[in-house]
Amino acid sequence: MENFFLEETSKTPKLSFDVSTGKFLMSGRSIPENSIEFYKPLFEWLDEYVKKPCPKTTFDIKLEYFNTSSSKCLVEIFRRLEKIKDAEIVINWFYEEDDEDMQESGEDFRELIDIPIVMHMIAN
Amino acid sequence: MDIQRFYEQFRSEDIIMSYKGSASIDLLSNLMDTLQIKLSEIEPKSSVRKRVFNVLVEVIQNIYHHYGKCHSQNAYDEETVNFLIAKTDANYFIIAGNTIFNEEIPMLRSRIDLINSLSPDRLKQVYMQTLSNGVLSEKGGAGLGLIEIARKSGGKLDYEFYPLSNRLSFFSLMVKIPAALPAAA
């Protein structure tokens, strides 16, 4: 299978999902009007990936903004990654020092998701 | 509360932007881009700026989701929306309005009243339940928008329905966000 890559736009994040290294990145903004339409190809890619994942998958999330429909899609992404068995997976959630809302969002996901989410503060 | 009267009482120097007219995806996108630039000019605290922008995105996308619905049903000729963002000394105010079908009023009213009746802790619980229930509407609405708006504003949502005809009313929503940031719910 091929890597999944999309450049960042003013409303959608950069998506870089490398199937050979297991390094995943989502960065920028996620505020599309129709989040499902945007994320559907990634959902399908992940459905394939979890069948034969890398020994270690590292998912870095560095978002500046996201809307509520994107937060639902993030849950959908995490639910797929929860299916990975017999392989390591970690999610790194990055937030800026004074961005309490982004910090809290990461903590909310930690409560919901059965994958380790490591919080990383970016100092200003 | 008479939101439309409230709308008119802002001093022009308090108004960051206002719009009244028909809407389209492009227009609403441009509004968001312009507002983001304006906010970065006037709001020094990035945490406040981000919170206000987050609420703006939800409010504007609520209008968009609703707009698309009525438009596709070709229910009326005129699709007027209005939108205002203002800043006084202590608060940001966001007011948004759009036309809705009268039969939608009871559900929308009870939803906002429910959100307003919840404590911050309970609001968070409902948010978390809605986030994890796996239900997504076809247009991407997640049922989370109003909850998120209430959480981020830390206060009650003001709203009103102004009757236009036996089929339609004008729905206005007003959100107040303190310029000095309280903790999120």
Side-chain angles (χ1 to χ4, degrees):
Chain A
M1 77 187 276
E2 289 181 11
N3 294 336
F4 190 95
F5 185 85
L6 272 180
E7 283 290 358
E8 179 175 355
T9 72
S10 66
K11 282 193 181 173
T12 57
K14 175 182 177 178
L15 297 177
S16 174
F17 287 64
D18 190 319
V19 69
S20 58
T21 63
K23 288 203 182 304
F24 297 177
L25 170 71
M26 176 186 290
S27 66
R29 298 171 187 187
S30 185
I31 53 171
E33 280 84 13
N34 191 334
S35 298
I36 307 183
E37 192 178 274
F38 175 76
Y39 282 107
K40 200 164 177 255
L42 180 64
F43 294 161
E44 286 164 2
W45 188 91
L46 286 168
D47 284 337
E48 284 305 305
Y49 177 82
V50 298
K51 289 177 192 164
K52 218 181 152 190
C54 287
K56 179 167 185 179
T57 303
T58 310
F59 186 9
D60 290 349
I61 302 175
K62 300 176 180 176
L63 289 172
E64 186 190 0
Y65 295 109
F66 60 92
N67 59 5
T68 49
S69 62
S70 294
S71 65
K72 276 262 185 180
C73 290
L74 276 169
V75 170
E76 286 293 307
I77 289 168
F78 298 150
R79 293 280 179 242
R80 281 166 169 79
L81 295 175
E82 280 175 342
K83 291 179 187 151
I84 292 180
K85 302 286 177 226
D86 306 320
E88 201 182 331
I89 171 149
V90 64
I91 295 167
N92 293 308
W93 183 271
F94 293 84
Y95 62 94
E96 285 182 17
E97 191 174 350
D98 56 1
D99 195 347
E100 285 171 31
D101 290 346
M102 193 56 77
Q103 180 183 0
E104 198 183 357
S105 297
E107 284 162 2
D108 288 350
F109 287 123
R110 270 178 112 169
E111 283 181 40
L112 288 178
I113 307 302
D114 232 0
I115 300 171
I117 300 182
V118 184
M119 305 292 288
H120 299 270
M121 187 179 81
I122 304 167
N124 285 335
Chain B
M1 133 144 342
D2 188 337
I3 292 179
Q4 290 309 315
R5 186 171 295 166
F6 198 80
Y7 196 114
E8 283 153 23
Q9 72 167 27
F10 283 107
R11 297 175 303 169
S12 57
E13 61 265 35
D14 291 338
I15 295 174
I16 299 166
M17 180 185 265
S18 75
Y19 176 82
K20 184 175 184 177
S22 61
S24 68
I25 283 198
D26 285 347
L27 178 106
L28 295 173
S29 294
N30 290 339
L31 269 180
M32 283 198 286
D33 292 344
T34 308
L35 281 164
Q36 196 182 15
I37 293 165
K38 289 217 170 203
L39 278 174
S40 65
E41 288 166 4
I42 60 166
E43 178 52 60
K45 283 189 233 114
S46 76
S47 49
V48 175
R49 196 163 65 228
K50 284 186 176 183
R51 186 172 285 187
V52 172
F53 186 71
N54 253 315
V55 172
L56 274 170
V57 168
E58 296 301 328
V59 165
I60 289 176
Q61 292 187 339
N62 258 349
I63 296 179
Y64 158 73
H65 285 298
H66 193 86
Y67 183 83
K69 185 170 70 182
C70 289
H71 195 69
S72 62
Q73 291 182 9
N74 199 19
Y76 26 89
D77 308 333
E78 205 179 3
E79 285 274 11
T80 298
V81 305
N82 70 20
F83 179 81
L84 172 136
I85 172 165
K87 187 187 184 220
T88 60
D89 291 338
N91 295 292
Y92 283 89
F93 289 90
I94 297 168
I95 299 176
N98 55 269
T99 315
I100 68 163
F101 294 110
N102 287 337
E103 63 257 33
E104 295 174 289
I105 292 176
M107 219 178 105
L108 187 53
R109 185 191 295 278
S110 66
R111 182 159 178 80
I112 299 176
D113 288 346
L114 173 70
I115 289 170
N116 281 342
S117 74
L118 299 175
S119 66
D121 284 349
R122 187 78 188 101
L123 198 58
K124 179 175 173 170
Q125 278 182 347
V126 174
Y127 178 86
M128 297 289 273
Q129 282 161 6
T130 313
L131 184 58
S132 61
N133 71 8
V135 180
L136 276 163
S137 75
E138 203 177 298
K139 283 196 75 177
L144 282 169
L146 287 169
I147 302 174
E148 180 74 349
I149 291 165
R151 284 184 82 196
K152 291 270 160 78
S153 77
K156 306 293 176 205
L157 304 174
D158 276 308
Y159 66 92
E160 70 183 11
F161 296 101
Y162 181 80
L164 297 173
S165 69
N166 58 4
R167 297 189 63 213
L168 301 169
S169 291
F170 197 77
F171 167 62
S172 299
L173 179 71
M174 183 170 83
V175 189
K176 185 170 86 174
I177 306 163
L181 211 59

